[in-house]
Every structure is written in C-alpha cells, then in structure tokens.
Amino acid sequence: MNRRHITCTINGDKAEFLCDDDESLLNTLRDELGLTGAKEGCGTGDCGACSVMLNGRLVCSCLVFAPEAEGATIETIEGMADGEHLHPLQTAFLEGAALQCGICTPGVLIAAKALLDRNPEPTESEVRYALAGNLCRCTGYDKIVRSVLDAAAQMKNNLQEGDRL
Amino acid sequence: MTDINAVSNTPNSYKWVGTRPVRHDGLEKVNGHARFAADLSLPRMLSGHVLRSPFAHARIISIDTKEAEAMPGVKAVITSADFPEPHRKDYVSLNLMARDKVFYEGQAVAAVAAGTKRQAKAAAEKIVVQYQELPHVLSIDEAMAEDAPLLHENLITKGVEPVPGKASNIPSRTLFERGDLDAGFKEADVVFEQEFTTKVVHQGYIEPHAVVADTSSDDRSVIWCSSQGHFMIRAKTAAMLGWEPSQLKVIPAEIGGGFGGKTTIYLEPLAAKLSQKAKRPVKIVMSRDEVFRATGPTPGTKLRIKLGAKKNGKIVAGKAWLAYENGAYPGIWGMLGAMCLFAPYDIPNFYVEAFEVVVNKPVNIAYRAPSAPMAAFATETVVDQIARELKLDPIELRLINAVEEGSRKPDGPKYGPIGFKETLEAIRNHPNYSIPLGPNQGRGIASGYWFNIGESSSATVHLTEDGTAIVVTGSPDIGGSRASMALMAAEELGIDVKLVQPRVADTDSIGFTDVTEGSRTTFATGMAVVGACRQLIDELRKRAAMMWEVDIDEVEWMDGNALHTVNKHAPLALAEITKSAKKTGGPLTTTHSLEARGAGAAFSTQMCDLEVDPETGAVTILRYTTAQDAGTAIHPGYVEGQFQGGVAQGIGWALNEEYVHNAEGVMENPGFLDYRIPVASDLPMIETIIVEVPNPKHPYGVRGVGEVGIVPPIPAVANAIHDATGLRMRRLPMSPMTILAGLNQKNGSA
Ligand code: FES
Ligand code: FES
C-alpha cells in the first residue's frame, strides 16, 4: 500500500507526514510527529484523552483518519500555552489541584477550552456536560469542574481589565 | 541527634505542611510534556503484540510459530518455552505466559516483536495454537460446587482441619473469632441476616499498561514502564526471566493512574525477552480491550452476614461467611475482607469465615482498600437496618459501637489513636445532614475502615551549589506525593518549598523502596525524607561550625539558617553553606532508608443524598459529603483529591460497573462504552471534611489517605436508595434495571 503524503498546520506550524489510509490521526501525532501530549486511553472514542481541535472542532483524534488532516488546522495540548504564558485554564488546573495522575489532563484541557471559546460563562452543569466525554478516574471531577469555572471567571476579569486600559 | 520519630513542632506552627503549593511536576502535565510509558520511543525500537487465549479454560496441545516467524518485519516470537519453568507458587510468572493450560479468556499465550504494530499483530494472528477446551467455572457457586471442574488439580484448601483429602477451587480459608457467638446472639433483641453479591470490577485507570525494554546484551535489560513500584517490577521481572534483580534497571515513567492495579507486572518480562531475542528495544502498549481482559480486576463476592443488637443499640454478636473470587490463581482477597468486615465496631462476640475461590477469569489484583468495599456493603447495610428497626439515628448507632484507641481489630492488634468517631461527628454536624429531602429522595450513611501499611522506603537529599534541595525517592507518584515530599522537606530544612525539587529515581539510583500501595507513600517514604533531612541538618550544622571555627554544639538550625547560639557570628543561610561546601568537606548529600512501622488505621464516614426516578429506576446523586481522618493533611488539595477520587470510584461500583461474561466465559463489555465509569455529568461536587487525629508514629502525624475513601460509597448509596424507596439493595450494580424490578415487585405485591 502506498502511503499518503499529508500537509497540514499544527499549532500554527506547517507539518507534513506520510500515513496509511486507515491510520488514526492520534497514532500519527504520537508516533510520526512526536506530539505525545494527546493520549490513547481507549482508541474507540470513549475516553477523550486523545482530544484535539480539528478546524476549530473538538474531536477524538483516535476516531479521525490521518488523511482527513489534509489542509486542516490542528491544535493540540502542546500549542495551548502562548510561549511562556500558560492559558488561564492551565493555570487554574495547577492552582486548583485539578490533576492527579495527569493522563486525562491534556484531553480535559482541550475540551474545556473548546467550551470556554464558545461559552465563556458556563454554569456548573454546562461544564459537566461539556466534559462528559472526558473520563477522569482520579479526581471525581470536583476540582476539574471548579478549575474550569475559576478559569472562566479569571478570563472574564482579564477581559474587563483589558477594557479599562 | 537524628531522631525521625521526634514529632515536629506543634501542628499550628507548621510553615509549609498543610499549605497548597502548585505541584512540582504540574507544569509538564498541563502542557503535554510529561512522559508516560507509552510516550517513549528509542532508536531501532520494535513493536510487540501479545497473542491471547480466546477460551476461558483449555489445554494447550501445541503452539506453532513457524508461519508467524516468516511474516514481514518479524524479529522475534516467544512462548512460555522461552522462560524457565516458574516455581509452582510463582503465580505472577505462571499467569503472564500460559504453559500447559489457559485459565481465562485473555491470558497471554505468545508474543511477537516486529517493525511496526501492524506487522506484529498480523504475525501474531499466524501463530497456530491447538486447544482442547475444558469445562470452566465463572461464579463462586459454580466453583465451590461439590463436583466443580478444577482449575488446578493439586489445589488443597489451606486453613481447614482436617486437611482435605481432595483438590478443590478453594485455595484457603481464614477464620477470625472472638467471645461466645451463641451467647451473644441470645443476648440480642434484634437480629438481621442478609446475603449480598457483588460483581467483578476494574480499577479503570485511564492509562493502559505500556513498556519499553532494551535487552541490548544477554545479561542486562533496561525497562521503562509506568507502575506503582519499579523495584517490584525489577523483582518480578527478574523472577520470570530467571535473572538476578541486579541485571535489570527499571526507570519509572509518569503513571497514568493505578489504584492498586499497577502493583504487579504484565508486559515487562515479555518485552525484555523479545528484546533479548531480537537484540533491539521493544515496546508493547496494551489496548483498552486487553486491559479489561487481562489485567486488574478486583473480586466478585458472595457474602452472608448476621448481626445481633440490644435495644439500646449495642451490637453484641456478628457472624459472617465470605467468599471472594481470586481469578485464575490463589490470592489473599477473602482474608483482607475478613480483616475489614467488622473492624469499625467493637463487637464482643463474632465469627468470621472467609474463603478464596479460583474461577476462570483474569487474576485479581488490589483495587484501593482491596476487599474492604464489598465487606462494608454487607456490614453497613445491616447496621442501617438495625438503626431503622431500633429507631435510632444511624450515626448515633455507629457512635455507640465505634472502635476507639485501645479497641481491638478483628485480627487481633489494638488500635492506636484513631479518628473514627470524629468522622461520624463531623458528618452529623455538617449542615448537609439536616437538609430536607423531597419525594423519591433518600439519604444514606456509611462508614469504612482500611488498615494502611508501612514497609520499606528510601530517600536521598542532595543540596545543589545554589542551595536547592533535590529530594529523591523510589516511590512512583500516583496522586501528588511528590508535592507532599517537598512540603515535608521544606518544613524540616526551613526553606521555601520552591527551593525543593522532588524526584522519583530509577532502581539503580535510589535505595530499595516498596510499592506505592496501602496508602503508604506519604507515611513511609515521607519518614525517609524527614530522616534524610534531619541528617542533612546535622551535617549543615557541622559545616557551619567549621566555617565559624566553633563547636558544633554551639550551632542550631532554624528557618533555613545556621545560628550561633552564643551570638558571636551572624546567621549563615543554607545557600552560603553549600557555596563553601568544597572547603568544608565536599558535597552535601544524605540518605535515609527504613522499614516503617505504625501506619495509622484510616476511617471514613460518608453521606449520600440521591433521587430515584420511579419510572426508570435511574439514580441521580444530589449531594455527597465525606469525612475522613487524614492524621495530618500535608497538602490538603491532594488529600481532598484522594477522598473525592475514591468516592467517585465507589459510586461507579455501586451503580454501573461490572464485568459481563457470557456463558463461554468471554467478557462482553471490554470497553468504556459498555463498562461505564462515572463521567462528569453523573456526579455532583463531592464535599470533603478533613479530620485530623495525628498518627503518633509519624513525625507529622500522617496516616495514609489514599484508600479508605472507596469503602463507604457502596453502602451509602444502597442505604440512600432504601431511604428513598424502601428497597434493600443486596446485589451490585444497583442499575436502573435492578431498581425498577425491585420497585415493580414491591408495588405489585403491595
Ligand atoms: S483514545 Fe480517543 S477517545 Fe479514548
Ligand atoms: S487525573 Fe488521572 S485520570 Fe484524570
């Protein structure tokens, strides 16, 4: 089988790779491109550990075929911080002890950012439903949900401060 | 001078212990850089794939690997013939690669290493295994039946007199008794007897098992993997390979959850052997399907329990018959259940008999306070029944019977200072205890016990030239323990916690350390860290004395500075002493190893408020409150996290989780879609109350916090369902179907 040549943009940088037709985007990110931030918890779309943004849409990268990335814009956990500056969600997770083992954390952060991008002031229950596709076995979700709400509040504050300047 | 049992100050004067700094390994975990086992790649690395048994019980007639070996990219194929014959009681090695029989669906039979994952898998499918199917047993009843098919033809039950004349599926029986049972029950005004069954459940860590092994020369292997204890990996892998532990170096990767499930090995010897044959590094990563079929789970059980109490609420007699599945090989799960069953209560007369039972399912391994949650389901449900019958508040009834310092555990030893009653009172005093409930809503109370353990730990503290303390231990960090180590070191040395860097080192670089299990790490490894810090302080005082040319007795250590007690010299900061280390005797580094004793028992009391939908039988958890004795909370954020994680797992176990095997013994739900663990929208916030009754055997009063939180949720949920509906739940999981059937039956017969 001939491998396909794919060109896309990952975290703002141009990326190229070769893949089989039926390879998953997750395996390609991890094994070909060295972006191991997305994790495989199940490989069947049930755990969300592999979450990435594909053309602005939250996807389980284990369910996306790598060739679908042709021409696409992809954001992974590795691109979430702006250089040295962590995203407010990352800061909130650190300060709120929202991670224990941390294997779910990249996927949870990507899904939480997707939520805040479209709904900057979610309720607790909106956060819970938005993260329902991301399994965490360590935390019982309490500190994750609180940290997402804290980050939303922080981002609103930052915006208001920005307005005042 | 260095006495690590000396208690550090008074609790209120701690500067770092009890604070919530950002964990040191946090940054790399939020930016995706943390390296878990599956994230590692080496040059020339091959991919491995394990061939597993499709049958629950079968004799292996032959294995032919010729065709597989000729497949594209294949560099090595192994079967049990590549390993020395294990000792007959080395169940780990026997389990890891089937020899003459397979004992459960999913047991490893052979493994392949090839250039790519696909090649390895394709080749494994070409291995020809001839099986002769054997009758299997899947439940305790089937396995204990008189004429049951046997898993192991030579298995004679231990712990029964006279010694049985024939083999069975019951490896052992444990008995604990006290007082006069008949007299006890005669004294009782109310007696309840109930039978409970629980299903096999999985620890459900999100990270599947993964390993990279590099056996570049015939007599040495380097292994990277995630586990709860890399010294355990070294010992068990060496045993299966027939090697000395010193021939292996195990490097711990970050671990993506364990909960007891990563206290054993599955892939490591296979990868090491494949690598040895191929002379290239080999990586094996399990799929989720393999994780369910071949690792973990925790036992299914059948439990009968009888309790008798007087009108005043005093429990006077208890009898229990417990049977715990062990999976395919003998384990200790029934015995642990027997230790925990009546442990929270001071019962003068009891008789507890527990059986281990082998069945054709994956070999069981620890899951957070192993065996205690099922035992608590039985005890706490019957205790709730007694409270209702006697019209006593459920917390009051527990307070009447609760153990305290000096009470004896069922297995004999006396309790030291414990905080059980304090957890009960904390729940009773919490505002949630008096929130009114609506229709179809119920409130359940339950308590739980776990004994915690000590064992071996080592720690080394190095001071860098700039005055940073590198704290090295051998305990994998599964829930924030590095932060606890750093906090204790900062407190001891009197320096900012930011100047402490906690690390987990490989098996060549730190002294032997037992597995992170039994809630022992902050307790035992914490003691080793404190010990190393205290030795270091002695050394720092000595160096300061040299710099000042005074006697060491004139030097004290306080807040990160050497102080001259007669005040001739200005204080010397730690960083100044390290700067001159070359002139005063060389590098500043100390090591402390110990066998920790005196882990304090842990208790938790929990309250669940829920609502049952009478149309569907579905349960919604409305509120959840947990109070647990932590001894001392070193990092309260991660202590709360442990409480909350245990509760969430317990709720999943109570309501949804179970292994479903079909009649052939094949698991039918080996994925997170059908084996449903709680998701964010299933749960409310989990309110935590940290009770602190310090453990006098630890310099900061720590008792383990990791496990007991999973013990009360099952009965708390069951008691709440009863409160809401009048149904007594005695079978897990308490799924909508079971509840609806119960409701229909109740309404039909009403
Ligand atoms: S790995 Fe993609 S959803 Fe689990
Ligand atoms: S922190 Fe371990 S799975 Fe979420």
Side-chain angles (χ1 to χ4, degrees):
Chain A
M1 188 163 54
N2 277 340
R3 301 183 90 204
R4 213 178 270 270
H5 176 245
I6 304 294
T7 309
C8 58
T9 305
I10 303 181
N11 300 329
D13 294 329
K14 190 179 158 210
E16 287 179 79
F17 57 86
L18 293 174
C19 65
D20 290 332
D21 277 354
D22 58 350
E23 193 54 88
S24 72
L25 176 60
L26 175 63
N27 283 347
T28 302
L29 288 172
R30 290 178 55 81
D31 299 343
E32 297 289 324
L33 299 169
L35 292 169
T36 54
K39 306 298 177 191
E40 178 173 315
C42 67
T44 51
D46 301 317
C47 77
C50 63
S51 299
V52 302
M53 298 301 283
L54 178 68
N55 293 328
R57 211 160 49 88
L58 176 67
V59 295
C60 292
S61 62
C62 70
L63 295 184
V64 174
F65 287 121
E68 294 180 68
E70 176 60 37
T73 304
I74 295 168
E75 289 159 64
T76 73
I77 187 66
E78 287 92 342
M80 192 156 173
D82 181 6
E84 292 290 280
H85 294 285
L86 293 181
H87 187 278
L89 275 164
Q90 292 171 307
T91 311
F93 270 52
L94 287 176
E95 284 172 357
L99 45 134
Q100 283 179 32
C101 79
I103 194 90
C104 69
T105 309
V108 172
L109 284 168
I110 292 282
K113 178 165 179 294
L115 168 69
L116 297 190
D117 284 350
R118 99 185 114 76
N119 177 1
E121 289 181 60
T123 61
E124 180 193 332
S125 124
E126 284 170 336
V127 173
R128 288 189 179 277
Y129 280 93
L131 296 182
N134 292 84
L135 299 181
C136 174
R137 192 59 156 172
C138 296
T139 63
Y141 305 103
D142 182 297
K143 291 186 192 301
I144 291 179
V145 174
R146 285 182 206 271
S147 298
V148 174
L149 293 169
D150 285 351
Q154 186 61 46
M155 286 163 80
K156 191 174 161 200
N157 261 341
N158 294 351
L159 260 185
Q160 284 168 348
E161 271 167 33
D163 285 350
R164 274 202 299 275
L165 290 177
Chain B
M1 183 70 214
T2 309
D3 174 8
I4 66 148
N5 286 321
V7 174
S8 307
N9 304 320
T10 53
N12 297 331
S13 66
Y14 295 151
K15 181 154 182 214
W16 297 105
V17 164
T19 62
R20 302 173 184 243
V22 167
R23 61 200 274 174
H24 299 70
D25 57 313
L27 183 60
E28 55 194 41
K29 287 200 167 147
V30 297
N31 65 17
H33 298 174
R35 283 235 207 148
F36 295 85
D39 299 338
L40 186 84
S41 291
L42 293 180
R44 301 168 58 243
M45 190 175 78
L46 302 170
S47 278
H49 186 85
V50 179
L51 180 72
R52 299 183 179 279
S53 163
F55 299 115
H57 197 192
R59 200 166 296 288
I60 297 175
I61 307 294
S62 64
I63 305 179
D64 184 349
T65 60
K66 261 200 219 78
E67 206 183 329
E69 279 159 31
M71 290 285 286
V74 172
K75 303 292 176 202
V77 179
I78 56 168
T79 66
S80 63
D82 291 281
F83 297 92
E85 173 97 33
H87 183 273
R88 79 192 157 79
K89 286 202 175 156
D90 180 0
Y91 302 126
V92 172
S93 300
L94 287 164
N95 177 35
L96 255 52
M97 193 58 104
R99 299 190 87 83
D100 47 345
K101 285 214 292 188
V102 287
F103 291 95
Y104 58 93
E105 184 239 358
Q107 189 171 12
V109 176
V112 180
T116 67
K117 282 190 226 174
R118 278 161 198 257
Q119 288 174 334
K121 189 157 181 243
E125 280 159 13
K126 296 289 179 193
I127 297 174
V128 183
V129 187
Q130 256 199 307
Y131 293 101
Q132 179 201 349
E133 273 193 81
L134 297 168
H136 54 258
V137 289
L138 292 174
S139 68
I140 285 168
D141 287 343
E142 284 170 19
M144 291 181 95
E146 194 48 41
D147 50 353
L150 294 180
L151 275 80
H152 308 284
E153 282 89 17
N154 300 320
L155 191 75
I156 302 290
T157 312
K158 275 195 252 148
V160 264
E161 289 294 335
V163 178
K166 65 179 192 133
S168 71
N169 291 320
I170 307 167
S172 61
R173 166 186 179 263
T174 307
L175 179 70
F176 295 128
E177 56 182 327
R178 176 188 297 166
D180 180 339
L181 194 69
D182 291 338
F185 277 116
K186 250 183 232 134
E187 232 188 300
D189 298 309
V190 290
V191 174
F192 285 101
E193 182 166 15
Q194 300 287 352
E195 185 171 297
F196 299 83
T197 55
T198 74
K199 293 293 185 58
V200 173
V201 298
H202 198 276
Q203 294 78 353
Y205 32 80
I206 304 300
E207 178 201 36
H209 300 260
V211 62
V212 176
D214 184 6
T215 315
S216 40
S217 66
D218 273 353
D219 55 2
R220 183 136 177 92
S221 190
V222 183
I223 293 174
W224 290 259
C225 64
S226 80
S227 79
Q228 288 175 242
H230 37 299
F231 288 90
M232 168 278 297
I233 300 273
R234 185 177 73 172
K236 292 186 171 165
T237 302
M240 180 153 176
L241 293 169
W243 289 14
E244 297 300 325
S246 57
Q247 290 173 269
L248 297 168
K249 170 171 160 178
V250 184
I251 304 176
E254 290 296 330
I255 166 169
F259 318 113
K262 291 178 183 165
T263 56
T264 189
I265 57 171
Y266 294 102
L267 299 172
E268 290 76 8
L270 312 195
K273 183 53 81 176
L274 284 168
S275 171
Q276 186 183 24
K277 274 190 134 177
K279 303 231 178 306
R280 286 169 66 171
V282 173
K283 176 174 180 173
I284 313 181
V285 181
M286 279 198 196
S287 66
R288 177 57 51 184
D289 181 283
E290 289 179 284
V291 172
F292 274 114
R293 290 185 204 276
T295 77
T298 211
T301 63
K302 181 170 172 176
L303 318 163
R304 265 198 302 276
I305 152 168
K306 182 173 162 186
L307 286 178
K310 306 230 283 192
K311 279 208 192 77
N312 63 9
K314 177 76 193 128
I315 301 172
V316 285
K319 185 175 180 198
W321 179 97
L322 317 175
Y324 278 68
E325 289 180 18
N326 283 227
Y329 292 97
I332 53 168
W333 314 117
M335 182 195 72
L336 294 184
M339 284 169 70
C340 297
L341 181 86
F342 291 149
Y345 304 112
D346 206 348
I347 305 178
N349 310 291
F350 64 73
Y351 182 94
V352 180
E353 193 180 20
F355 295 90
E356 319 289 349
V357 182
V358 292
V359 293
N360 292 108
K361 294 189 198 170
V363 179
N364 290 132
I365 190 75
Y367 180 20
R368 216 168 195 154
S371 301
M374 309 79 142
F377 178 32
T379 305
E380 295 293 306
T381 302
V382 178
V383 165
D384 193 68
Q385 257 181 315
I386 293 173
R388 283 190 178 261
E389 178 71 20
L390 297 177
K391 303 203 166 31
L392 279 170
D393 173 275
I395 291 191
E396 186 56 36
L397 179 79
R398 285 174 174 82
L399 280 168
I400 292 170
N401 294 287
V403 288
E404 53 193 16
E405 183 173 2
S407 309
R408 278 196 186 281
K409 303 178 188 185
D411 48 323
K414 273 193 187 160
Y415 286 107
I418 47 173
F420 181 28
K421 289 190 172 168
E422 287 80 351
T423 67
L424 287 159
E425 280 153 6
I427 291 289
R428 189 168 60 181
N429 298 335
H430 194 279
N432 286 0
Y433 196 54
S434 39
I435 293 180
L437 295 167
N440 301 315
Q441 297 185 349
R443 175 165 297 149
I445 299 291
S447 297
Y449 156 84
W450 180 249
F451 49 86
N452 294 336
I453 60 171
E455 297 193 327
S456 304
S457 283
S458 303
T460 292
V461 182
H462 309 294
L463 292 180
T464 63
E465 304 87 297
D466 62 344
T468 301
I470 314 276
V471 173
V472 187
T473 73
S475 290
D477 178 354
I478 60 173
S481 58
R482 267 169 293 196
S484 306
M485 298 308 144
L487 284 164
M488 285 184 273
E491 191 73 52
E492 286 295 325
L493 298 173
I495 57 176
D496 192 306
V497 72
K498 289 206 188 86
L499 294 175
V500 181
Q501 291 295 333
R503 305 264 189 263
V504 184
D506 66 68
T507 51
D508 281 359
S509 310
I510 184 75
F512 180 89
T513 298
D514 273 308
V515 174
T516 294
E517 67 180 357
S519 304
R520 62 174 288 279
T521 298
T522 305
F523 171 72
T525 307
M527 278 166 83
V529 167
V530 169
C533 287
R534 290 184 183 179
Q535 280 167 236
L536 189 60
I537 289 170
D538 288 349
E539 187 61 29
L540 285 161
R541 287 173 50 237
K542 190 173 118 198
R543 303 297 182 93
M546 287 168 80
M547 290 164 76
W548 287 329
E549 297 179 355
V550 301
D551 194 278
I552 185 169
D553 293 337
E554 290 175 24
V555 184
E556 264 181 15
W557 190 258
M558 196 182 286
D559 292 336
N561 292 295
L563 304 182
H564 190 213
T565 46
V566 291
N567 281 331
K568 259 205 341 241
H569 299 279
L572 264 175
L574 180 139
E576 295 173 72
I577 302 174
T578 54
K579 246 181 241 138
S580 329
K582 266 186 181 301
K583 285 181 236 149
T584 55
L588 284 145
T589 176
T590 52
T591 289
H592 195 94
S593 293
L594 53 78
E595 180 71 19
R597 306 237 181 263
F603 289 88
S604 170
T605 298
Q606 301 180 3
M607 166 169 50
C608 173
D609 286 1
L610 54 72
E611 183 167 329
V612 179
D613 182 337
E615 306 274 298
T616 62
V619 167
T620 306
I621 308 287
L622 301 171
R623 273 176 296 278
Y624 206 99
T625 319
T626 173
Q628 183 177 323
D629 179 14
T632 299
I634 302 293
H635 188 305
Y638 290 105
V639 169
E640 291 160 5
Q642 289 295 320
F643 292 10
Q644 292 164 335
V647 165
Q649 288 180 318
I651 291 174
W653 194 341
L655 295 176
N656 305 317
E657 297 179 32
E658 66 176 312
Y659 267 49
V660 180
H661 279 93
N662 68 16
E664 274 72 57
V666 173
M667 187 185 182
E668 292 197 309
N669 58 338
F672 281 135
L673 189 61
D674 299 314
Y675 183 100
R676 195 176 179 290
I677 72 173
V679 304
S681 52
D682 292 337
L683 296 172
M685 293 299 185
I686 298 163
E687 294 183 52
T688 54
I689 308 165
I690 302 179
V691 170
E692 292 184 291
V693 176
N695 172 14
K697 296 286 169 56
H698 184 278
Y700 290 98
V702 166
R703 61 183 83 233
V705 297
E707 294 176 284
V708 74
I710 201 176
V711 182
I714 300 171
V717 168
N719 291 340
I721 291 175
H722 177 267
D723 193 40
T725 64
L727 287 178
R728 270 296 165 206
M729 307 304 295
R730 297 189 197 97
R731 225 157 21 106
L732 295 187
M734 298 177 268
S735 62
M737 255 166 23
T738 327
I739 294 175
L740 198 58
L743 287 175
N744 288 341
Q745 204 187 8
K746 189 167 146 252
N747 296 338
S749 62

